[in-house]
Amino acid sequence: MTKKRALITGITGQDGAYLSKLLIENGYEVHGVVRRSASADLVCSRLIWLGVADETVLHDGDLTDLSSLIRILDSVKPAEIYNLAAQSFVKSSWQQPYLTGLVTGLGVTNMLEAMRLVCPEARFYQASSSEMYGQVQEPIQSEKTSFYPRSPYAAAKLYAHWMTINYRESFNLYTLNGILFNHESPLRGIEFVTRKITDGVARIKLGLSDELSLGNLEAKRDWGHARDYVKAMWMMLQQDQPDDYVVATQRTTTVRDFCTLAFSHVGLKADDYVRVDKRHFRPSEVDVLLGDASKAHDKLGWKAETTLEEMVAEMVDADLVRVQQKEHL
Ligand code: NAP
Ligand code: F7E
């Protein structure tokens, strides 16, 4: 029997790696779009970490290069497209607003156009984000909550979100958005606050550092585990009708409390090591996010499986090993 084919943009990122593993376990042939890098040896480090690098087929392409996307879709002919590629770091989006708009916003239009022209029968997942809620208009955010983006990243994601809906309504394509709240893992980029904290805890515990410099400790996020969240992406694309879904744990925690959990996992007190540095603050902040995932629970049967405490322990333990072994990730 021929395997179902999936194409993942952003396959080298955190979610791309976990999604590849899930799809391979579910019997898919997994293809990915990879942009050219001068550090090619590091590009697949997450896929290697999860033991799936040899089972994925990679294609050279870039979200900003429409012809590369057309060529890849034409040769792969995927049944499912997961569009995860983005300039995804919010803080950088103020330093590179045009690039963020080009990749995270217009890049999605390129993917949608390529799909419309080459494989209109495919199913398309767009990685929308809780950042679009920004200055929240309701204390708990659902699919019905209005958006109020607070960064160039969020504004670009909001454009992409509506383009995905527009292609569904204009051309009757199977396209949908997963509005995912923050999700983390040992494969999270080191610049994001959770991984910065768990890496910092490991370095302090091993005597390689004596402080951790952070920005706004009062910001609150609804943090889940990437491994659970990629399952929701897949479940969305298995529904008869395309629709948009919020994916969240329904619990919100401050950066300060995340620090407390991470330090206490190795028997240390966060207050003894965490320093606040104004340089890590943002021009405008998203103070609090808390998602209502009832629609995903009711219609997809999806539920977050990993608790925050379990995830923090997994991340700190992984960073202790990595720091000891001088591994780069
Ligand atoms: P990530 O680790 O930053 O991965 C981003 C991926 O996009 C990487 O594979 C990167 O490739 C690729 N990429 C960047 N620019 C590209 C371009 N011009 N052309 C092709 N590929 C490009 O992000 P993630 O955490 O896995 O998140 C996956 C998606 O979900 C992103 O769209 C993100 O914005 C969105 N999202 C994430 C969260 C979260 O909490 N993680 C929440 C909501 C939404 P390189 O390896 O070459 O850099
Ligand atoms: O910041 C505060 C910071 O960079 C979280 C992306 O995946 O999730 C992510 O965006 C909070 C913010 O993630 C530091 O000010 C304090 O309030 O880990 P972050 P993010 O901006 O929430 C959404 C859903 C996405 O879609 C994005 O792609 O933590 N914070 N001190 C800090 N943040 C960082 N990075 N570094 C600090 O030192």
Side-chain angles (χ1 to χ4, degrees):
M1 205 176 75
T2 51
K3 285 185 166 184
K4 207 168 177 183
R5 269 191 208 155
L7 179 76
I8 305 174
T9 73
I11 193 167
T12 56
Q14 170 188 256
D15 293 5
Y18 278 104
L19 180 62
S20 296
K21 187 169 163 61
L22 175 78
L23 295 179
I24 288 164
E25 285 167 356
N26 286 356
Y28 281 69
E29 182 178 307
V30 174
H31 294 252
V33 178
V34 182
R35 54 184 177 156
R36 194 263 158 186
S37 163
S39 310
D41 51 330
L42 298 178
V43 164
C44 293
S45 52
R46 293 187 172 93
L47 293 167
I48 293 170
W49 203 82
L50 286 178
V52 292
D54 293 339
E55 293 171 77
T56 55
V57 186
L58 303 181
H59 304 261
D60 274 355
D62 193 298
L63 236 52
T64 61
D65 183 348
L66 178 60
S67 74
S68 71
L69 304 178
I70 290 176
R71 178 180 48 74
I72 294 167
L73 286 183
D74 194 40
S75 81
V76 175
K77 298 205 169 49
E80 295 172 10
I81 301 169
Y82 295 87
N83 187 44
L84 310 184
Q87 191 304 92
S88 75
F89 188 41
V90 174
K91 179 106 186 288
S92 285
S93 76
W94 280 282
Q95 271 101 43
Q96 300 186 58
Y98 177 83
L99 176 97
T100 303
L102 198 60
V103 177
T104 307
L106 280 169
V108 181
T109 302
N110 271 347
M111 269 316 291
L112 288 164
E113 256 315 87
M115 169 178 155
R116 184 175 76 83
L117 295 170
V118 180
C119 49
E121 66 296 338
R123 296 183 171 199
F124 182 95
Y125 173 89
Q126 165 57 16
S128 267
S129 167
S130 55
E131 275 296 298
M132 301 185 307
Y133 295 116
Q135 190 163 299
V136 294
Q137 302 296 296
E138 284 185 296
I140 304 178
Q141 300 89 50
S142 73
E143 296 81 4
K144 296 197 172 80
T145 305
S146 303
F147 300 114
Y148 192 132
R150 294 268 284 170
S151 64
Y153 168 80
K157 279 286 181 191
L158 190 52
Y159 164 74
H161 180 87
W162 282 110
M163 285 303 281
T164 301
I165 293 172
N166 185 261
Y167 269 58
R168 182 163 81 213
E169 294 177 352
S170 305
F171 303 118
N172 203 23
L173 297 179
Y174 191 112
T175 62
L176 59 78
N177 294 290
I179 309 171
L180 271 50
F181 282 61
N182 297 53
H183 45 282
E184 321 293 313
S185 74
L187 298 184
R188 187 57 142 152
I190 197 92
E191 66 275 31
F192 297 93
V193 76
T194 54
R195 182 73 205 295
K196 183 174 169 184
I197 294 167
T198 59
D199 174 74
V201 166
R203 284 174 196 285
I204 290 168
K205 180 67 182 173
L206 295 170
L208 298 172
S209 178
D210 53 15
E211 65 170 42
L212 175 61
S213 169
L214 295 172
N216 180 10
L217 301 182
E218 308 314 326
K220 290 173 124 182
R221 289 292 182 273
D222 180 330
W223 277 300
H225 198 302
R227 192 176 44 225
D228 295 346
Y229 283 36
V230 298
K231 214 177 280 177
M233 296 177 186
W234 175 75
M235 288 171 142
M236 284 177 216
L237 285 198
Q238 309 316 306
Q239 303 307 303
D240 289 340
Q241 295 304 320
D243 202 353
D244 308 318
Y245 297 87
V246 159
V247 176
T249 67
Q250 317 200 126
R251 165 183 176 187
T252 193
T253 306
T254 58
V255 171
R256 184 186 295 283
D257 288 342
F258 191 102
C259 289
T260 304
L261 282 175
F263 277 95
S264 65
H265 183 64
V266 295
L268 298 175
K269 280 196 182 141
D271 286 349
D272 293 339
Y273 302 97
V274 174
R275 307 279 169 264
V276 172
D277 185 334
K278 290 282 175 206
R279 282 178 301 180
H280 299 306
F281 280 65
R282 296 172 178 191
S284 60
E285 179 62 287
V286 171
D287 297 320
V288 54
L289 290 172
L290 175 58
D292 171 0
S294 350
K295 184 173 165 185
H297 295 173
D298 298 346
K299 297 206 166 164
L300 306 177
W302 178 88
K303 221 170 177 317
E305 288 165 29
T306 316
T307 65
L308 182 67
E309 288 74 10
E310 287 165 347
M311 183 176 77
V312 170
E314 185 187 338
M315 290 176 71
V316 172
D317 288 343
D319 276 322
L320 283 166
V321 172
R322 258 189 219 130
V323 172
Q324 268 170 323
Q325 298 182 348
K326 297 192 172 63
E327 256 180 53
H328 295 286
L329 196 77

